[in-house]
């Protein structure tokens, strides 16, 4: 157990810009489920808050410590316990890093699809807590779609097994799925059984540059209407491209102001046909430049450039990252509303989007330490949230609610559904010790 | 409102053989959500049990009336409200028949995959209540995988909207998924938004006859290990084949004692390659006869024969149908244990299986009115349930718990998880009026 204030400080918050946090009273790094259960039972008895923590890469403040809390860090529970090639499942501890699991599966010819941008650092436990998505979920679904079973320590300190090892089940309430995305408010996940897929076929990459967001939005709409389900369909806007160019001088803005990156992975000749269809959609929507990339290295470089956007922006200041998701046909409308909000407030919003999902990550850069500008930008993003809700969207596609989206969530769900959340919370955590003050108010 | 005892009798039970039921006090057939809410609010105030009912095709007693209950039949809420071809979703009332929705989608080039054997009669509301599966879920998943959003009347009579219209969301608890499979114990579903897929490619059918269950089981294991995910992989045993032959004289048992039916639907040349792989697996496992069917009519006839098994057995008496599901690599072991249980008790168990899912439907025929034999056969199936649990399986793959699987569910989940069910139930239905006495005890 760590209680030295200088040491616990590094466990006090995640990567959410501007979300409040306090120093925890203590940090524990359990080595197994029994230790987790003992800690929670002790905290329940004494009314001590418990905050679970993976790698701390969250963007909503969900892992931020609260006053007097015990932070349970899963860094020492980081083993892949089993990969069953015949049943196509893996059993892992929560502290396993996403990419480590993916690599272990790949070594056996299997694939764990969820691929959040944080995959090199974020843990499966954290991915489960936020129901993490990623690039390939446009075709392959999100974390919840891969969680078969969980071992969980409830707020009473009970150890329970939820879910199943079978392909399907109708046995009682879907509690494993309920725990996925519950952000540490219902229980602490101590073991995860995930479904795996077989290795996928070679991906074909299609690249398109567009003069403006509306034409890129029309290209996405055409792809959706074509019936092709790409394995990735990403949008990178000009502010994002420029930030990377200013850092890495990659010439990303030479082709146009908005970049669309698509991948198709249907096996055999169909994959190439899908890529041709996507290319035709890009061209018909008025791409300034587009091509199927025959060179995997070049394609990888463009996807790598997309991943550089966030660090490139971080060079310029503190990055506020949004995560709204709208019905996918309304992506062009949401992009237009983003531009309108930005113009009204005189800010530059850089946007990455999982375009095929309608999931947008607008980003604002705030000079570090400028609390007034931070507050102003938070206000801008509250408007973005309202615009997404007005389009029938959701306040968070894949980052979770944490602290930053609580107002938006309350508006999205309404009081009756929030009350159902509270009732469920009482069943799992009667003492109210698990991640208190997150997601919704008690 | 219907209160005539002669008329309410036809709403008193579903198709579960031997599950208890009582005459309801009244049957209501609401025409909209507001009427449902008014009925539930009235019943909550007066402590009157409410039992929701779709087409009554359930096999576990989940829709059976209890003493004094109001049965809410959704037969008058049977409209497909909207099919959105761009967002690829449909909004339906709960009383829509599964095949009617599938046909309406097909007319727009879209596909709603869940295909329980009851699809010509069962309703989407009932499918949601039990998390219904079917033949194609081996590749395409079950009802829960297609439910995006729900409108629900809670046990307080509140109308709430759960879930989303977007491709993904991490906004609060996954309450839509929780309601799917809750068998009317948490709320009454009054509107359902389902995700759709595009039309699928032509299916290739592979047929294999085997001399015995172990060799058919090995064929299934080989298919699973091959990495091919068929769009159906069904097993029909000799007692099932004989029952159809005795009725329809189709010559089904001429080729062998056990029939495996597989379909592959990958687009383009890959689908044919998959079918070749499945055929090779059948041959390597010692099929007595096997072939790829080039003739869609012939293939359809074999799948139709599979669907005739249940009615063929019903000609002989009351059919008890089991629904256990085991890890799919343990299907051969479960088949062996079934044979052992049958031999010990001197009964013939006819078995259909969604073999690729490890989901078995052992069936026993009981002479109508023979209560003693019914009780004996129930006891045989309790042993079957225990064998499935011993293999890490589940008591119900797709039929739901209802009344018949309550003992097994309690053993599967254990007291702590059942308590979590009760706590969640209290949050949704504080008066305990929704389908009382089903799934778990209060």
């Amino acid at each position: 157990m760590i209680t030295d204030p200088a040491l616990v400080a590094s466990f006090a918050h995640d990567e959410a810009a501007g979300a409040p946090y306090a120093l925890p009273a203590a940090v524990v790094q359990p080595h197994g489920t029994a230790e987790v259960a003992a800690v929670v039972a002790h905290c329940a008895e004494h009314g001590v808050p418990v905050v679970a923590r993976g790698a701390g890469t969250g963007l909503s403040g969900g892992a931020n410590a609260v006053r007097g809390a015990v932070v349970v860090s899963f860094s020492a529970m980081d083993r892949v316990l089993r990969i069953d090639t015949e049943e196509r499942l893996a059993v892992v501890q929560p502290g396993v890093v996403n990419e480590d699991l993916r690599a272990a599966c790949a070594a056996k010819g299997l694939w764990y699809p969820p691929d959040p941008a944080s995959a090199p650092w974020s843990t499966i436990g954290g991915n489960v807590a936020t129901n993490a998505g990623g690039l390939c979920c446009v075709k392959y679904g999100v974390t919840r779609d891969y969680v078969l079973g969980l071992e969980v320590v409830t707020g009473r300190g009970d150890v329970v097994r939820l879910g199943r090892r079978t392909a399907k089940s109708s046995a009682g309430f879907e509690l494993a799925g309920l725990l996925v995305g519950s952000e540490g408010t219902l229980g602490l996940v101590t073991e995860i059984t995930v479904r795996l897929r077989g290795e996928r076929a070679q991906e074909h990459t299609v690249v398109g540059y567009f003069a403006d967001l509306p034409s890129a939005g029309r290209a996405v709409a055409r792809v959706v209407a074509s019936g092709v389900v790409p394995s990735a369909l990403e949008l990178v806007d000009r502010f994002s491209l420029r930030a990377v160019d200013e850092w890495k001088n990659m010439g990303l803005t030479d082709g146009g102001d908005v970049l669309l990156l698509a991948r198709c992975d249907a096996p055999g000749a169909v994959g190439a046909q899908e890529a041709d269809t996507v290319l035709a959609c890009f061209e018909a929507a008025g791409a300034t430049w587009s091509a199927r990339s025959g060179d995997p290295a070049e394609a990888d470089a463009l996807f790598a450039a997309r991943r550089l956007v966030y660090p490139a922006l971080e060079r310029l200041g503190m990055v506020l990252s949004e995560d709204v998701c709208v019905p996918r046909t309304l992506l062009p409308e949401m992009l237009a509303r983003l531009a309108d909000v930005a113009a009204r407030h005189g800010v530059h919003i850089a946007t990455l989007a999982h375009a095929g999902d309608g999931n947008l990550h607008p980003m604002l850069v705030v000079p570090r330490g400028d609390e007034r500008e931070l507050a102003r930008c938070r206000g801008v993003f509250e408007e973005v949230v309202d615009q997404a809700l007005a389009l029938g969207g959701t306040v968070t596609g894949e980052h979770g609610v944490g602290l930053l989206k609580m107002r938006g969530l309350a508006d999205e769900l309404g009081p009756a559904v929030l009350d159902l959340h509270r009732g469920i919370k009482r069943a799992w955590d009667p003492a109210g010790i698990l991640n208190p003050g997150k997601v919704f108010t008690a």
Side-chain angles (χ1 to χ4, degrees), chain A:
Chain A
M1 188 165 75
I2 310 170
T3 54
D4 179 338
L7 296 177
V8 300
S10 63
F11 296 88
H13 61 83
D14 63 21
E15 292 181 12
Y21 61 89
L23 281 192
V27 175
V28 294
Q29 293 166 297
H31 287 79
T33 302
E35 283 181 48
V36 177
V39 168
V40 174
H42 180 85
C43 289
E45 195 183 338
H46 297 89
V48 176
V50 176
V51 179
R53 181 184 180 86
T57 58
L59 293 167
S60 301
N64 282 13
V66 297
R67 185 174 302 281
V70 171
V71 168
V72 177
S73 164
F74 284 100
S75 52
M77 290 175 67
D78 63 350
R79 280 182 301 145
V80 175
L81 300 173
R82 191 158 63 93
I83 295 177
D84 185 330
T85 54
E86 294 193 333
E87 290 289 344
R88 290 197 169 186
L89 56 81
V91 182
V92 306
Q93 291 185 310
V96 170
V97 169
N98 179 297
E99 277 201 356
D100 291 346
L101 173 59
R102 292 155 67 82
C105 294
K108 301 202 169 194
L110 294 168
W111 180 41
Y112 176 69
D115 58 348
S118 60
W121 313 282
S122 67
T123 63
I124 301 298
N127 293 172
V128 166
T130 57
N131 190 26
L135 271 63
C136 74
C137 53
V138 59
K139 181 166 182 176
Y140 292 102
V142 295
T143 301
R144 185 180 290 114
D145 298 311
Y146 292 87
V147 172
L148 280 175
L150 296 173
E151 182 187 73
V152 172
V153 175
T154 71
R156 298 176 196 267
D158 290 337
V159 180
V160 293
R161 298 198 76 93
L162 310 174
R164 61 187 205 269
R165 274 173 55 204
T166 51
K168 60 186 186 181
S169 173
S170 290
F173 299 160
E174 170 56 346
L175 299 186
L178 175 68
L179 265 280
V180 178
S182 65
E183 303 187 41
T185 64
L186 297 180
L188 270 58
V189 173
T190 50
E191 188 188 287
I192 304 141
T193 302
V194 293
R195 199 164 70 84
L196 304 174
R197 288 182 176 270
E199 275 177 334
R200 58 178 166 173
Q202 179 69 41
E203 289 182 297
H204 303 264
T205 300
V206 184
V207 182
Y209 276 101
F210 297 84
D212 49 34
L213 283 171
S215 57
R218 284 194 299 273
V220 171
R222 279 178 183 269
V223 173
V224 168
S226 77
V228 169
V229 181
S231 51
L233 183 51
E234 297 293 309
L235 178 148
V236 191
D237 80 345
R238 61 181 166 144
F239 296 112
S240 302
L241 294 172
R242 282 180 194 167
V244 177
D245 270 353
E246 282 165 14
W247 182 25
K248 297 286 187 183
N249 199 21
M250 290 173 77
L252 293 172
T253 41
D254 297 351
D257 263 4
V258 185
L259 174 64
L260 283 184
L261 296 170
R263 280 182 160 160
C264 300
D265 71 350
V270 177
Q273 290 162 18
E274 287 183 346
D276 287 339
T277 302
V278 170
L279 182 64
C281 291
F282 284 7
E283 288 169 351
T288 52
W289 186 87
S290 60
R292 272 186 55 183
S293 176
D295 177 1
E298 181 192 69
D300 286 348
L302 283 164
F303 275 89
R306 182 214 167 277
R307 278 193 294 273
L308 289 175
V309 171
Y310 193 85
L313 292 171
E314 277 198 308
R315 291 173 61 243
L316 310 175
M318 178 187 256
V319 180
L320 273 61
S321 177
E322 252 304 326
D323 179 40
V324 291
C325 188
V326 296
R328 56 191 183 167
T329 55
L330 299 179
L331 181 81
E333 173 64 21
M334 188 64 206
L335 289 167
R337 292 187 180 201
L338 270 180
D340 180 57
V341 169
R344 273 194 285 109
H345 290 277
V347 294
H348 291 315
I349 297 179
T351 298
L352 291 174
H354 305 305
D357 281 329
N359 185 197
L360 301 99
H361 295 311
M363 289 169 288
L364 281 169
V365 179
V366 180
R368 285 180 217 286
D370 187 341
E371 290 295 325
R372 214 173 124 187
E373 182 64 7
L374 176 62
R376 191 174 82 94
C377 287
R378 280 261 158 264
V380 172
F381 273 171
E382 291 294 330
E383 278 191 36
V384 169
V385 163
D386 289 340
Q387 294 295 338
L389 291 179
L391 293 177
T394 177
V395 298
T396 169
E398 56 183 13
H399 292 172
V401 176
L403 290 163
L404 297 181
K405 293 303 185 66
M406 289 177 64
R407 194 280 304 173
L409 184 78
D411 283 357
E412 180 174 342
L413 301 185
V417 176
L418 277 185
D419 264 352
L420 292 168
H421 279 69
R422 293 185 188 103
I424 289 171
K425 166 89 170 164
R426 276 192 295 276
W428 289 76
D429 175 26
I433 58 165
L434 298 183
N435 220 5
K438 310 289 176 62
V439 187
F440 52 88
T441 55

